[in-house]
Amino acid sequence: MDIGIFLPTGQAQWAPAGDPRDLIGFARRAEELGFSSLFVNDSLLSPRIEPLTMLAAVAPVTDRIRLGTGALLPVLRRPVQAAQALASVDLLSGGRLTVAVGAGFPGRFGKPLHELSQVPWERRFARLDETVALWRALWAGATAFHGEFHSFDAIPPATAPFQPGGPPIWLGGATPAALARTGRHYDGWLPYPPDPADYASGLEAVRATAQQAGRDPEALTPALFVNVRIDRDVESARRIMDAYTLANYGLPLDEAEQIQAFALGTPEDVTATLHRYTAAGARHVVARLGALELTDQREQLELLAALTLPASP
């Protein structure tokens, strides 16, 4: 089992009193404590540190911890430039990059992002899959690429990543179409279903599709994106997480819980929830800490380490 952490790159998580440069120390501490991975979010509408910039800053000051995006929105970026940036982060980290991607979803964080990026909202899933295929072609040294959305007759030498063939690419999302696409094309799965039973059935569907596509189902990484708040009781944890979801999404906790996975309450409560997901098949849990100040983020980091990494200092 791998336990990872989301860096609190959103301005709501460290402002107004915090200094975003302190995120470097946060990353170092996560590695010291023994966490397996350090992930960053992506958005154009929520003020936050740009994810690839953050990973480039963290890569040279860490040695072991895996770095990841969860989830990067590839179609909002120029694909060749994004491939170069990702390869560069992989080089700077010595091959520690994992790229979880998504296509966005309807509502505040969906179509408006595409309008800002001047990219059509329609057929975004097909565009995402083709962008990932283009990245892999570039990383493999392709000199030409012809798809529905991108076509290049003469591609100059591209920046080669540290990992042969490029970093592993995971897909977020749990719709039937996303499950099928994960099994056919991706290296891992990073959803956030509110019900562990949905995680289990989704993972079964991913593996079945992989088998049908002639791929090794066990080679795909089953990961989980979960929001975590450890507190003295459930009521206190819910109160803080409600403020967190309002600040980050404009949604109260009651509504956010219908969309995303949450583990809230005492250490025993959080442990029990995480165990339900691992029993459903999750093998790489990436926790986003529910805290609106960097000091509280650090406290939650230490609490989660003590809970899940008993050998940590």
Side-chain angles (χ1 to χ4, degrees):
M1 171 60 61
D2 290 313
I3 305 292
I5 288 290
F6 274 94
L7 261 177
T9 56
Q11 188 171 339
Q13 297 164 306
W14 46 262
D19 185 337
R21 291 172 294 184
D22 290 340
L23 295 173
I24 301 299
F26 189 100
R28 285 173 169 164
R29 183 56 180 160
E31 181 171 71
E32 290 172 0
L33 288 168
F35 285 99
S36 299
S37 61
L38 198 62
F39 274 67
V40 290
N41 291 122
D42 187 17
S43 178
L44 294 180
L45 294 182
S46 294
R48 67 177 65 247
I49 306 298
E50 196 278 326
L52 301 186
T53 303
M54 187 75 251
L55 293 183
V58 167
V61 299
T62 55
D63 298 309
R64 174 200 55 81
I65 198 166
R66 192 143 192 96
L67 307 179
T69 63
L72 192 72
L73 301 170
V75 304
L76 305 186
R77 294 168 164 79
R78 295 292 186 185
V80 175
Q81 292 171 321
Q84 182 181 24
L86 290 166
S88 298
V89 173
D90 197 49
L91 285 168
L92 290 169
S93 67
R96 289 183 284 130
L97 180 63
T98 294
V99 185
V101 300
F105 48 87
R108 175 187 172 193
F109 294 96
K111 195 172 182 179
L113 294 176
H114 285 247
E115 292 172 350
L116 281 171
S117 302
Q118 299 180 316
V119 178
W121 172 250
E122 293 73 25
R123 309 213 56 228
R124 63 193 182 278
F125 301 109
R127 189 181 293 271
L128 169 63
D129 290 344
E130 185 176 298
T131 298
V132 169
L134 172 57
W135 288 353
R136 286 171 168 160
L138 291 168
W139 295 333
T143 58
F145 182 90
H146 298 286
E148 179 182 356
F149 306 102
H150 309 293
S151 185
F152 305 100
D153 290 320
I155 302 176
T159 302
F162 187 95
Q163 298 173 84
I169 303 180
W170 301 352
L171 184 65
T175 64
L179 299 177
R181 289 164 53 237
T182 301
R184 286 195 299 267
H185 303 302
Y186 291 85
D187 304 308
W189 185 44
L190 183 65
Y192 44 56
D195 188 339
D198 291 333
Y199 188 94
S201 61
L203 181 57
E204 183 179 2
V206 166
R207 287 174 168 165
T209 303
Q211 184 83 46
Q212 293 164 7
R215 307 179 72 207
D216 179 3
E218 298 302 320
L220 277 69
T221 302
L224 172 73
F225 179 145
V226 59
N227 298 279
V228 172
R229 175 72 195 187
I230 302 169
D231 221 311
R232 63 181 180 274
D233 53 48
V234 173
E235 291 73 22
S236 298
R238 291 188 64 83
R239 184 173 63 254
I240 298 297
M241 190 60 84
D242 184 65
Y244 179 90
T245 58
L246 282 169
N248 280 277
Y249 295 120
L251 294 176
L253 177 58
D254 288 345
E255 293 183 30
E257 283 179 312
Q258 307 305 309
I259 303 169
Q260 295 187 354
F262 286 83
L264 309 173
T266 65
E268 294 76 17
D269 294 325
V270 171
T271 298
T273 299
L274 295 180
H275 279 174
R276 285 194 287 273
Y277 281 101
T278 56
R283 292 295 175 265
H284 192 135
V285 175
V286 188
R288 184 168 61 177
L289 305 174
L292 289 177
E293 296 178 357
L294 205 49
T295 298
D296 197 10
Q297 283 279 340
R298 293 193 192 98
E299 291 176 359
Q300 288 292 306
L301 183 73
E302 301 287 336
L303 288 170
L304 185 60
L307 187 64
T308 61
L309 309 170
S312 61

